[in-house]
Amino acid sequence: MPEQGNRSRRGAGRRQWAWIGGAAVVVAALVTTLLLVLPAGDHQDGRDVTDRRTAAQAFPGGLAQQPATDNQALRRESDARAAGDTTTASRLDVIADQPVATWLTDPSQDATRQVVRRVVRDAEQQDRTPVFVLYAIPDRDCGSYSAGGTTERDYLPWVRSAVRAMAGSHAVVLVEPDSIAQIHVCKRLGEDRLHLLREAVDELIGHGLTVYLDGGNENRVPVATMAGWLRQAGVDRVQGFATNVSNFYRVDQERAYADRLADAIGDDPHFVIDVSRNGQGWKGTWCNPPGAGLGQAPHVTGGTTRLDALLWVKTPGLSDGTCHGGPPAGQWWESYALALVENRKQD
C-alpha cells in the first residue's frame, strides 16, 4: 500500500510538471509573438526606445499644413485680400503657404484636445504628418515674456490628455522649447524641471509619436552640460532633440552644433532645426531682432544623416515679446511678418 501511494504521487508529480512545461511553451510563444508584432524600439510599456526612425518614418507623407482655422497668416492674408490690399495679401501668402508647427499653450485640457483633434483630422486628409509643440510647462520662460503654463499638479495630466488625442496619428511632438536650455540662466528650475520632463517622456512614448526634446541652440549652453541634461530628461528613449526653436542661427551653424551635441549624448540621437526666421542669420538678439528674414522652406531630409527635418516651428509673424516695439509674446505683429517676407532667404 505505501508503494502504491508513492507511485500515485509520482504519477501526479509527472502530470504536474508536464502541465507546467506546456504552459511555459505557451508563454514563450506569446512573448515571441509580441516581440514580432511590436516595432523595435517602441515597446508598449514605454520604457525602452533604442532604435530611431528614419526621417521618412518620422514624417510619413511629409509635413502637413495647418487647418485654415489655425493658420494665422492665412487668416490675415484673407482679410487683406477682402479689403483689396493685394500687395499685403501676396506677401502674407508666402508664410501661409508653408507647413508650420501647431503650438499647444492653453492649460485647459479640453481646449488642447480640441486643437489636437482638429489638426490631426486635417493632416489625415492630407496624408501628411502634423507637428505639435508642447508649451505649457510650469514656470514657463522663467517668468519672462512667455510666462505662464500649467501648475505642477496639472502638467502631467495635461500632457496625458494631449497624448490621448494624438495617439495613433504618427504626429511629431516637440517638447517644451527652452525648457532645458533655460536651466543655464534660471537656476531655480534645476533637477525638478528635468525630472518633470522625464515623466512627460513616460507619457509620450509608446503611442506611435515621434518625440524631440529641447536641444537649445549654439552659443548658449556648453555642449557637455546640455548633453547631460538631455540624458537626464530621457533623450535616450525618444527620437532626439530640436534646436534653434524661435531663434535665428543659420542652418550650417546649428547643424554643426547639433552634431556635436548628438556625439556628446551618445546613442546617435536625431535632431530637427527650426529655420522659420533664420534667413539672415543671428542678428544679435533672440527677441524680435530687426532685419530678420524667413529661412528656407521647411522640408523633411533624405534621411542620410541625423538631421531629420528643417521645420518652421515658430510661426513667422508672432511676436517674441514686448521688445523692439513688439506686442506681447505670441500675438500677431503684421509689420514684422511683412519684414520677414521682405528679408527672406532666396533659395
Side-chain angles (χ1 to χ4, degrees):
M1 294 293 292
E3 180 61 28
Q4 183 181 357
N6 287 338
R7 284 197 301 270
S8 298
R9 284 192 293 272
R10 283 197 295 270
R14 284 193 293 269
R15 288 192 297 273
Q16 183 180 26
W17 282 112
W19 182 88
I20 293 173
V25 170
V26 172
V27 171
L30 286 172
V31 170
T32 301
T33 301
L34 285 172
L35 289 175
L36 289 172
V37 170
L38 292 177
D42 197 7
H43 303 313
Q44 289 297 314
D45 64 6
R47 290 178 297 183
D48 184 23
V49 174
T50 54
D51 295 330
R52 264 85 188 195
R53 297 177 171 99
T54 66
Q57 291 169 336
F59 295 85
L63 300 170
Q65 290 188 302
Q66 289 180 311
T69 53
D70 298 276
N71 188 326
Q72 298 193 55
L74 180 61
R75 293 204 304 270
R76 291 295 306 126
E77 183 267 342
S78 299
D79 291 343
R81 198 170 299 281
D85 188 351
T86 56
T87 300
T88 295
S90 63
R91 290 179 180 176
L92 292 179
D93 195 49
V94 175
I95 299 174
D97 269 355
Q98 298 296 339
V100 180
T102 298
W103 290 61
L104 304 175
T105 62
D106 194 324
S108 163
Q109 292 185 29
D110 288 341
T112 299
R113 281 195 300 269
Q114 289 176 21
V115 172
V116 170
R117 289 168 180 161
R118 180 170 64 244
V119 173
V120 164
R121 282 195 303 268
D122 202 77
E124 287 173 346
Q125 292 172 0
Q126 299 174 51
D127 199 23
R128 296 183 177 180
T129 299
V131 178
F132 293 102
V133 182
L134 300 186
Y135 195 58
I137 200 163
D139 202 4
R140 187 176 64 199
D141 202 22
C142 201
S144 189
Y145 291 122
S146 297
T150 68
T151 65
E152 291 279 351
R153 181 185 63 186
D154 292 336
Y155 183 65
L156 291 176
W158 179 82
V159 172
R160 195 175 303 124
S161 177
V163 168
R164 282 198 297 266
M166 296 176 196
S169 68
H170 304 293
V172 166
V173 185
L174 278 57
V175 180
E176 302 295 345
D178 212 28
S179 61
I180 298 178
Q182 199 165 51
I183 297 172
H184 193 58
V185 294
C186 189
K187 303 299 183 183
R188 71 169 182 261
L189 301 177
E191 298 297 321
D192 289 343
R193 167 63 61 83
L194 296 173
H195 178 72
L196 185 60
L197 287 169
R198 192 173 188 89
E199 290 186 310
V201 167
D202 288 340
E203 302 294 342
L204 284 157
I205 61 179
H207 300 279
L209 307 174
T210 299
V211 179
Y212 299 89
L213 295 176
D214 169 41
N217 51 268
E218 62 174 311
N219 297 330
R220 188 168 185 191
V221 180
V223 167
T225 301
M226 195 68 188
W229 286 343
L230 276 162
R231 284 194 294 267
Q232 290 182 62
V235 72
D236 58 307
R237 295 180 296 153
V238 300
Q239 179 77 353
F241 56 88
T243 78
N244 207 41
V245 174
S246 299
N247 223 305
F248 301 86
Y249 289 97
R250 294 185 186 276
V251 172
D252 54 349
Q253 297 172 274
E254 276 301 291
R255 186 167 181 174
Y257 159 75
D259 274 324
R260 293 195 304 272
L261 181 56
D263 288 341
I265 292 168
D267 197 31
D268 215 28
H270 290 209
F271 53 87
V272 294
I273 300 174
D274 184 0
V275 297
S276 57
R277 305 183 299 174
N278 72 342
Q280 296 298 324
W282 174 249
K283 306 299 289 184
T285 178
W286 61 268
C287 192
N288 300 328
L294 299 176
Q296 60 185 282
H299 63 274
V300 180
T301 69
T304 58
T305 68
R306 292 178 292 200
L307 173 62
D308 287 341
L310 301 178
L311 303 176
W312 280 17
V313 181
K314 173 77 174 187
T315 302
L318 297 190
S319 175
D320 295 317
T322 53
C323 47
H324 293 106
Q331 290 191 14
W332 180 256
W333 187 9
E334 189 149 306
S335 62
Y336 198 77
L338 295 173
L340 289 171
V341 174
E342 184 69 22
N343 297 325
R344 68 187 181 276
K345 177 181 175 62
Q346 301 292 337
D347 293 327

